[in-house]
Amino acid sequence: MISIAKPQIGAAEKQAVAAVLDSGMIANGAIVTQFENEFAEYIGAKHTVATTSGTTALEVALRALGIGAGDKVLTTPFSFIASTNAIIYAGATPVFADIDPDTFLIDPDAIETALATDPSIKALLIVHLFGQACNMDRIMAIVKKHNLLLIEDCAQAHDAKWNGKTVGTFGDAGCFSFYPTKNMTTGEGGAVVTDRSNVHDHARLLINHGMKVRYHHDIIGYNYRMTNIAGAIGRCQLERLPKFNESRRAHAAILDAEITNPLITTPKTIARAEHVYHQYTVRVAENRRDDFTKHLSDNGIGFGVFYPLSIPEQACYADRGFQTVYPVTDRVKREVVSLPVHPGLSNDEVRTVARVINEFR
Ligand SMILES: *Cc1c(COP(=O)(O)O)cnc(C)c1O
């Protein structure tokens, strides 16, 4: 069986966790601070606040930017649900703009249309989906023109770049997830990066019950603190991230070169985007996806369908009156299949994936 994801935990991670356990300082502490400093430096942001997950990082970023009740946040209908749930946790209202069919990323033209329809939109929450940066030339021009706050969901795009600039550093805040299937992991964990010191200060208060001085609570906050155990894993994983991404890119290049089946469309990459292939997502010819995924299963190839439904049509939002028709998303969600490219695979295993795909009729 060739799996769709496999966290890469080695001797360094095990040793680092053992050292934390032996130290007795297993909750939030100095190791997390070291991880935060190293992550900020790596991404090229002034500040990092480590959190319990990518989801809590997104909620904290929105709240730290002052987004709340009465505010509208424009986002993509094609993502993991957390990117929209975070807007709802913050008390704000999500609105959606359709995606580009080639990249699966929010379409700048659709953003412009949404802003023309509703000039009260205050913020833009974009998702660098599957490891590819959104078109940041277009998006930054829109953000400037309409004076929007910009939050980047980088949960699938650690160290992805646009024009050589790392994602997470374009907007007011960037949010990362360190869930085990992501490009790097801390078990569960997340981070907010920002260059804005007031946003950093507010985020730090939010994750620690509004506390600067012990048992003096300035605001109503949360316990979203990362543990030293997670931080220790994160420090090791961050060192290995360039190799992980290099391996994902090499595997993607093999699939690009070797998949020749006309029923399968390989992903389109934009020259200015440095893709980190959190997922390698192909499109299957109309009405053939079920046959294709059965063929993969029959041949021991793992896969994922990210995502089978658009966010606004999810059952949990049925009473919210969201507009639920997004023509591009509604087509793409029926055609996508993500294939194994993770760093735990050998090149031969990736070639096997391509061969099995080429045998599909
Ligand atoms: C994984 C993910 C999240 C949430 O991260 P968690 O750590 O699982 O809470 C948010 N947005 C996107 C696009 C993700 O892929």
Side-chain angles (χ1 to χ4, degrees), residues 38-54:
E38 288 160 4
F39 195 75
E41 184 174 341
Y42 190 94
I43 297 297
K46 285 210 178 91
H47 311 281
T48 294
V49 177
T51 67
T52 50
S53 71

Side-chain angles (χ1 to χ4, degrees), residues 52-56 58 79-83 127 129 153-156 176-179 181-182 188-190 278 307:
T52 50
S53 71
T55 307
T56 55
L58 284 164
S79 176
F80 181 55
I81 196 152
S83 49
V127 181
L129 196 72
D153 181 339
C154 312
Q156 304 187 0
F176 292 82
S177 165
F178 306 123
Y179 186 73
T181 58
K182 308 288 163 123
E188 294 274 8
H278 171 62
Y307 296 89

Side-chain angles (χ1 to χ4, degrees), residues 2-5 251 255 280 301-303 338-342 345 350 353:
I2 297 178
S3 68
I4 179 72
H251 293 159
L255 294 180
Y280 184 94
I301 310 293
F303 64 88
S338 298
L339 303 168
V341 282
H342 64 75
L345 299 167
V350 180
V353 173

Side-chain angles (χ1 to χ4, degrees), residues 161-212:
K161 294 181 173 75
W162 175 265
N163 267 343
K165 185 172 162 68
T166 310
V167 302
T169 63
F170 287 88
D172 296 280
C175 302
F176 292 82
S177 165
F178 306 123
Y179 186 73
T181 58
K182 308 288 163 123
N183 292 45
M184 61 175 280
T185 187
T186 63
E188 294 274 8
V192 180
V193 305
T194 183
D195 280 350
R196 294 180 52 183
S197 59
N198 59 335
V199 175
H200 168 243
D201 293 346
H202 194 174
R204 206 164 278 297
L205 277 183
L206 281 167
I207 66 152
N208 192 25
H209 281 303
M211 216 165 36
K212 243 183 304 205

Side-chain angles (χ1 to χ4, degrees), residues 4 41 81 121 161 176 213 217 290 293 332-334:
I4 179 72
E41 184 174 341
I81 196 152
I121 289 166
K161 294 181 173 75
F176 292 82
V213 178
H217 305 276
D290 289 350
T293 54
V332 161
K333 76 188 182 195
R334 293 195 300 269

